[in-house]
Structures are given as structure tokens and as C-alpha cells.
Amino acid sequence: MQYGLNEEQEMIVSTVRSFVEKEIYPHEELVERTGEVPHEIAQDIKNKTLNLGFYACNFPESVGCAGLSHLDFALVERELGRGSMALNHFFGRPQNILMACEGDQKERYLMPAVRGERMDALAMTEPGAGSDIRGMKCAAVRNGGDWVVNGTKHFISGADHADFFIVFIATGEDDTPKGPKKRITAFLVDRGTPGFTIRDGYKSVSHRGYKNMILDFDDCRLPDAQVLGQVDGGFEVMNTWLYATRITVATMSVGRARRVFDYALSYAAEREQFGQPIGKFQGVSFQLADMITEIDGADLLTLAAADLLDKGLPSNREIASAKLYASEMLGRVTDAAIQIHGGMGLMDDFPLERFWRDARVERIWDGTSEIQRHIISRELLRALGA
């Protein structure tokens, strides 16, 4: 990997950063206070993103999009990470898994999604099946040529604004030497489908305004036309397209950490105690040194993982390492920033307490830190036949 951005990449960074500062920052306090993103603000962000040509920039030119590489898209996500997740959701990055659409699905789901006409949401997690995907109980059975679905999904981000959902559902079970093993299929489910309801989820201290919802299926009938990929091929679809979500968490953690660091650095240079800026004291200056070192390390680790993807090289361990290190780094950096600010760091006058709360969830969603460590250690041991 070339460590340093070319002219086009520098333009991507400056364009997205400017957009976040001008179009996202001004609305953050409102969203934080109300827990809502007003429709007119959401639509304005979406329209401006479309005008910039960045909407669905994670999709290829073959479907009319920017076709950014994994590395270039990581730079976009890094800058978006500086802003409120509830607001930058409308910058528009549909799930790459929609590239698995076939036939009529392309005009019903893929193309409207990349044009900004319809929004999608991914539904995988259940009350009893988070990291253990094969433990899901939401199931579909054949009946009269359709699939009849029953069960519940929860922690579904973006479901309040979604027009359709990519839902992973158990469609059978195999007996294996290690016990029963669920077969999983991905389905496309439209809002308003009979038997499918969306209700409010849980109130979270992290990312206010970026709501999680609960999806209920009660004898919901879905025809074969709603299957995304192959029947019982959910894991293949998942493994082909969903790797990028962990890079997204890593890159956005880096972006948020840089914003937090900027607050801490400025405060350390301006705030005086005992007749000098507090940044002159080693207790503060050494914290700043550790913070920027960790941020840069997470940044390079993440961009290197994205670069491996672009080159078609094995990257599962590297992506897991990036997600693990960047998300945990963000927790340490936000905590240190509050320590530097002292009591003021926990006051509403500064956004640091928000970043501190928001940072906590990054170690949980899209695969907990423990799952990432499992992936990393498994890859290392497999190479030795263990």
C-alpha cells in the first residue's frame, strides 16, 4: 500500500469533510436534544449528496454510481464518522449486498436504492441470536408455493426510514456431527407487507436519533421472487458482501476519534492552570501523544485492510484487526479527552460526553470485540493446522 493520498483521494477527503462540517454539524444539537431527524433535514442532506455525486458511491459504475474502490470509500466513511450517525445516514450508502439482486429485483430494489428513491435496512440480529447467527429463531417454511415467516428481529438500525429490508431467515436445518445446523436464506421484504410490522425499539445512550427498531413477522407470506441470492445460500451472500460493514465501523471510529482529538488538543493549548497552558504539563501532553499515535495506528491499519480488499488478497484477519483496534481505540481516546477537559468534559457545553457515549457501542455492533478476537486467532491458528 502507498502511504499517502493521491490528488483524487485528497479531493474526496476535503469534499466529504466540508460537507459534514456544513451540512451535518449544524443539526447535531437538535438531533441530540430531540432524538429525531426532521424529514426536511433528512431530505435536504440526501438531495445535496445526490447533487455531489456521492450518493451510493460504494456501488460500481455499472449501476450508475461513482464506483469508488474500498480504499477510497473508506476515506469517505472516515470523514462521515466525524458527524452524527443519525444525520450522515442520509448521505446514502445502501447495503452492497443488493448487488446480489437478480432479474426484476434489480429494478425493484437495487436501482431505486442507488438512485436514492428507496432506502434499505439490514435485519439479522434477534433477541436470542446476536453473534450466534445460526441460533436465529425467525424461520420461514414452505406453504402453497410461498414462504411463511414467523419470528422477530431487533436492533435494526435505520428501520424507521427504510422502504424495504434485507432479512436473514432460517429456512431449514441440517443434522451434523456437531449437532443441528440452521440453513439461512436472505429475503427482500417491503414495508407494508401483510404480516410484517415495524415497532419502536430500545432507547439507547449511543447515537441518539439513529434509532433501532423491532421487526415482527406473523404468518408473513413471501414468494420466491423475494429471495436474495439462493435458497439456503444466506451465508454465501453474507460472506460475499457484508465484510465491508466491519471496515465501516473502523473507519468511522477513526474519523470520530480525530474530531475528539481536535477538541482535546485545542483545549490543552488554551486552558491555563498554574500560569501556563495545561498542555505544557506531561500529564496532559503525554496523553495527547498517546492519543494521536493510537489514532494514526488505527487509521493505517484500516486503510491497509481496505487496500487488501481492492487487491483481492485475503483480508479477513486484517479487517477484524482493524475493527477491533479502531473501536477500542475510540473508547480510550474519548475517555482521555474528557479527562483532559476535567469536569467540563461531562457538561453539555461540549459535545465530548456525546462522543463518549457514542463510542461504547462500536465495540459491540457488527461483531463484538470478542468475535473479532475469535476471527483473528482462528486465522492465525488455521495457518498452522491447529
Side-chain angles (χ1 to χ4, degrees):
M1 176 183 173
Q2 296 297 318
Y3 294 101
L5 304 184
N6 59 37
E7 185 176 345
E8 181 178 341
Q9 291 169 332
E10 291 284 5
M11 183 187 72
I12 289 172
V13 170
S14 63
T15 300
V16 180
R17 183 176 300 180
S18 176
F19 184 94
V20 171
E21 291 173 350
K22 293 177 181 178
E23 308 298 340
I24 302 295
Y25 286 5
H27 305 300
E28 288 181 335
E29 186 178 345
L30 172 66
V31 173
E32 181 68 15
R33 186 175 67 253
T34 64
E36 302 284 345
V37 178
H39 175 74
E40 59 274 15
I41 292 177
Q43 196 61 45
D44 187 54
I45 292 171
K46 180 190 286 188
N47 290 339
K48 288 177 177 176
T49 305
L50 286 163
N51 290 337
L52 272 179
F54 272 91
Y55 199 92
C57 58
N58 53 321
F59 278 72
E61 294 179 357
S62 62
V63 293
C65 300
L68 296 187
S69 66
H70 292 292
L71 177 56
D72 291 347
F73 184 60
L75 297 175
V76 172
E77 295 277 68
R78 188 182 71 186
E79 297 310 312
L80 289 175
R82 292 173 174 266
S84 161
M85 184 167 284
L87 290 160
N88 69 39
H89 174 67
F90 300 99
F91 194 87
R93 290 96 72 212
Q95 297 289 337
N96 285 36
I97 198 171
L98 290 174
M99 287 299 294
C101 284
E102 297 179 352
D104 291 344
Q105 292 177 347
K106 293 180 180 179
E107 288 305 318
R108 294 172 58 207
Y109 299 103
L110 171 61
M111 298 312 298
V114 300
R115 290 194 297 256
E117 297 164 1
R118 304 186 77 194
M119 295 195 77
D120 62 297
L122 187 68
M124 193 178 303
T125 305
E126 298 181 8
S131 299
D132 179 17
I133 299 298
R134 289 195 186 275
M136 66 173 58
K137 296 180 179 179
C138 184
V141 295
R142 279 290 195 183
N143 183 284
D146 291 334
W147 293 94
V148 178
V149 185
N150 284 282
T152 298
K153 299 289 182 180
H154 77 162
F155 291 154
I156 310 306
S157 302
D160 49 333
H161 299 284
D163 299 293
F164 69 93
F165 298 78
I166 304 156
V167 189
F168 287 84
I169 300 171
T171 46
E173 191 172 85
D174 294 322
D175 291 324
T176 73
K178 295 183 178 180
K181 182 179 179 182
K182 295 281 179 66
R183 299 195 300 270
I184 308 296
T185 302
F187 288 86
L188 295 161
V189 185
D190 291 299
R191 178 184 288 271
T193 299
F196 172 51
T197 57
I198 306 164
R199 55 190 172 97
D200 290 341
Y202 317 98
K203 291 185 178 179
S204 174
V205 300
S206 297
H207 299 299
R208 287 178 181 165
Y210 187 64
K211 298 181 180 180
N212 68 85
M213 309 293 281
I214 298 172
L215 312 183
D216 291 318
F217 296 87
D218 184 9
D219 287 338
C220 176
R221 300 187 75 92
L222 300 174
D224 281 333
Q226 300 309 115
V227 172
L228 181 63
Q230 301 298 315
V231 173
D232 298 334
F235 275 97
E236 181 180 349
V237 173
M238 193 185 306
N239 292 333
T240 301
W241 297 108
L242 293 185
Y243 50 76
T245 60
R246 286 179 286 159
I247 290 187
T248 290
V249 173
T251 54
M252 296 187 82
S253 293
V254 171
R256 198 164 297 119
R258 289 204 184 279
R259 184 176 176 188
V260 169
F261 177 78
D262 288 344
Y263 281 109
L265 181 63
S266 295
Y267 192 80
E270 296 168 3
R271 169 71 167 166
E272 291 194 357
Q273 289 285 278
F274 305 103
Q276 63 179 350
I278 62 172
K280 292 283 190 178
F281 298 102
Q282 283 188 355
V284 173
S285 64
F286 281 17
Q287 285 192 77
L288 293 171
D290 288 343
M291 291 163 75
I292 196 61
T293 300
E294 286 207 70
I295 293 169
D296 286 345
D299 200 359
L300 292 173
L301 187 62
T302 302
L303 296 181
D307 186 59
L308 286 174
L309 273 179
D310 284 329
K311 292 175 178 174
L313 298 173
S315 55
N316 198 34
R317 176 179 66 81
E318 288 79 2
I319 292 172
S321 294
K323 197 275 182 183
L324 169 66
Y325 186 72
S327 62
E328 297 202 341
M329 171 278 297
L330 177 60
R332 291 188 291 269
V333 166
T334 53
D335 190 76
I338 285 179
Q339 194 69 20
I340 289 171
H341 281 76
M344 288 304 297
L346 293 170
M347 301 299 113
D348 285 344
D349 300 70
F350 292 92
L352 292 177
E353 58 88 19
R354 166 161 59 90
F355 296 133
W356 187 48
R357 285 186 283 104
D358 290 350
R360 189 60 186 86
V361 74
E362 308 300 339
R363 286 177 270 168
I364 297 173
W365 59 13
D366 286 288
T368 64
S369 289
E370 291 72 28
I371 289 295
Q372 305 311 315
R373 289 186 170 95
H374 170 72
I375 293 170
I376 295 163
S377 58
R378 183 185 61 193
E379 293 284 322
L380 292 171
L381 291 167
R382 276 181 177 173
L384 299 178

